[in-house]
């Protein structure tokens, strides 16, 4: 179905994507397609992962950056390129520039994860830290381009970038000719637009479904309005698709060729990342796990075989640790509770004995003795437990109540 956007049709065509594929031969990896037995069972049809998290630089961004920089005129190459990014685009531009012998400057926010900053430098870019948010970083990069003549490499709003990202779609059709649905995360829209151009030209029967984080979902209201809108966004763990306005070029393509754009919650994102790690043994960043989140949320609504594009795997280890805790809580595998004990020797040991019989693993214990609501001989204990899922949580709470404890 078309969203009926009034934007010009086909700024990128299949021949552009095929030309990009030839250009990327020997540069970008043909990333593997891996099956997911668990998701296949939920959907009732084969589900595969397109593992762009295993691409060079850890995401699909190298594809579009390389095609864009390859298309520069000699005098533009001589002036160098500049980009702004918190991570994936930065690394893609840095490596593409190095491979093509072009000088690159990349502006990154002051709070960008250190591993991403280090990787961008190692790929050959001159990294400059500026601003607290990406908008400030973007303004600094554009000012640098104006002052120096360097070519600004946009992360998604250029036809060459979209053509490069579209090569993911060609690979999916080659690797899974029987595919019926492709699910892809959407930020500015470059990857979804490129895949849709390639796939719809060759297989118009294949559905392309985009997925945005609920906290930063600019496409649904923009598509309804018929033009890109700036939306207020909230913090999201899916920083790779945290974009407040669709790109002009991809917007027209998405509106015409993408069948649907859905949203997913933070809980669904963290559960999806946990599933990728535990079941598929794949390290995926939250933005890259957004298609998996959509599959988990409404598995019955997808026609298989399904290919979910895992667009990137660049996740800071500290963030990964927090997300995994969040994901385990969302999956019902953490239980936090409070209860009151008599403040006497052995009371805590008795409580822990009940938990041991219930097979709950104690992660943390906290004591409160100064709350004015507590009795003179009472202490409040806060427990954080690791459990085996929602049913086990209920069993643990029931065991505590059965032992005479009042559980909050």
């Amino acid at each position: 179905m078309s969203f009926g956007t009034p934007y010009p049709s086909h700024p990128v065509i299949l021949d552009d994507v095929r030309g990009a594929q030839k250009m990327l031969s020997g540069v970008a990896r043909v990333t593997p397609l891996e099956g997911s037995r668990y998701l296949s069972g939920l959907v009732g049809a084969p589900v595969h992962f397109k593992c762009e998290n295993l691409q060079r630089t850890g995401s699909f961004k190298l594809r579009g950056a390389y095609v864009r920089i390859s298309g520069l005129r000699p005098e533009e190459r001589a002036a160098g390129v500049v980009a702004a990014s918190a991570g994936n685009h930065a690394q893609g531009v840095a490596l593409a520039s190095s491979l093509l012998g072009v000088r690159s400057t990349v502006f990154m926010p002051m709070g960008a994860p250190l591993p991403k900053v280090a990787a961008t430098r190692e790929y050959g870019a001159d990294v400059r830290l500026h601003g607290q948010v990406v908008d400030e970083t973007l303004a600094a990069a554009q000012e640098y381009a104006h002052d120096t003549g360097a070519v600004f490499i946009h992360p998604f709003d250029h036809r060459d970038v979209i053509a490069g990202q579209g090569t993911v779609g060609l690979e999916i059709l080659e690797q899974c000719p029987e595919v019926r649905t492709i699910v892809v995360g959407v930020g500015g829209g470059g990857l979804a637009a490129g895949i849709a151009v390639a796939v719809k030209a060759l297989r118009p029967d294949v559905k392309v479904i985009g997925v945005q984080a609920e906290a930063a979902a600019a496409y649904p209201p923009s598509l309804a309005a018929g033009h890109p809108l700036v939306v207020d966004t909230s913090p999201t763990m899916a920083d790779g698709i945290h974009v407040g306005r669709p790109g002009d070029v991809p917007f027209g393509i998405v509106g015409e060729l993408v069948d649907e754009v859905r949203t997913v919650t933070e809980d669904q994102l963290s559960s999806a990342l946990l599933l990728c790690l535990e079941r598929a043994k794949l390290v995926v960043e939250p933005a890259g796990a957004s298609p998996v989140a959509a599959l988990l949320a409404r598995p019955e609504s997808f026609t298989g075989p399904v290919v979910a594009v895992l667009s990137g795997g660049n996740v800071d280890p500290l963030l990964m640790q927090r997300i995994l805790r969040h994901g385990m809580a969302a999956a019902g595998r953490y239980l936090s509770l409070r209860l009151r004990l008599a403040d006497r020797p052995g009371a805590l040991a008795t409580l822990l004995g009940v938990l041991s019989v219930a097979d709950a693993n104690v992660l943390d214990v906290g004591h409160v003795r100064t709350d004015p609501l507590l009795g003179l001989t009472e202490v409040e204990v806060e427990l954080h437990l690791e459990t085996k899922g929602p049913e086990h949580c209920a069993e643990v709470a029931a065991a505590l109540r059965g032992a005479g404890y009042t559980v909050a």
Side-chain angles (χ1 to χ4, degrees), residues 120-274:
T120 304
R121 285 195 172 115
E122 288 168 8
Y123 287 130
D126 173 15
V127 175
R128 304 191 181 191
L129 301 178
H130 183 93
Q132 298 300 320
V133 296
V134 174
D135 285 344
E136 295 173 359
T137 308
L138 180 63
Q142 290 172 327
E143 182 180 355
Y144 178 89
H146 179 268
D147 293 343
T148 65
V151 178
F152 180 69
I153 307 299
H154 200 283
F156 51 81
D157 207 8
H158 193 281
R159 63 187 308 274
D160 289 346
V161 172
I162 293 170
Q165 320 304 28
T167 58
V168 175
L170 292 181
E171 289 179 15
I172 290 172
L173 294 183
E174 292 164 2
Q175 294 169 313
C176 186
E178 66 279 14
V179 65
R180 296 288 302 282
T181 306
I182 297 173
V183 193
V184 56
V186 179
L191 178 60
I195 288 175
V197 166
V199 170
K200 292 294 188 176
L202 296 169
R203 287 280 308 281
D205 60 300
V206 174
K207 284 189 174 181
V208 179
I209 296 177
V211 183
Q212 292 207 286
E214 192 176 83
Y219 263 92
S222 296
L223 291 166
H227 58 87
L229 297 175
V230 177
V231 300
D232 293 329
T233 64
S234 303
T236 173
M237 66 180 71
D239 58 341
I241 53 174
H242 190 178
V243 177
R245 182 189 185 278
D248 289 327
V249 180
F251 177 79
I253 299 172
V254 170
E256 184 175 352
L257 299 180
V258 171
D259 296 272
E260 183 182 354
V261 177
R262 302 184 182 185
T263 61
V264 291
T265 67
E266 298 299 291
D267 281 354
Q268 289 165 346
L269 285 166
S270 58
S271 295
L273 188 145
L274 184 63

Side-chain angles (χ1 to χ4, degrees), residues 260-337:
E260 183 182 354
V261 177
R262 302 184 182 185
T263 61
V264 291
T265 67
E266 298 299 291
D267 281 354
Q268 289 165 346
L269 285 166
S270 58
S271 295
L273 188 145
L274 184 63
L275 182 142
C276 289
L277 188 64
E278 284 193 325
R279 298 297 184 101
K281 316 306 178 194
L282 291 169
V283 175
V284 182
E285 62 189 88
S290 58
V292 179
L295 285 163
L296 287 173
R298 294 172 55 195
E300 76 289 345
S301 66
F302 292 89
T303 302
V306 179
V307 173
V309 181
L310 307 182
S311 57
N314 291 318
V315 56
D316 180 65
L318 294 177
L319 176 62
M320 171 71 88
Q321 187 178 38
R322 293 198 297 271
I323 292 171
L324 289 178
R325 285 200 299 265
H326 188 274
M328 291 184 72
R333 290 167 56 186
Y334 278 153
L335 176 62
S336 297
L337 48 84

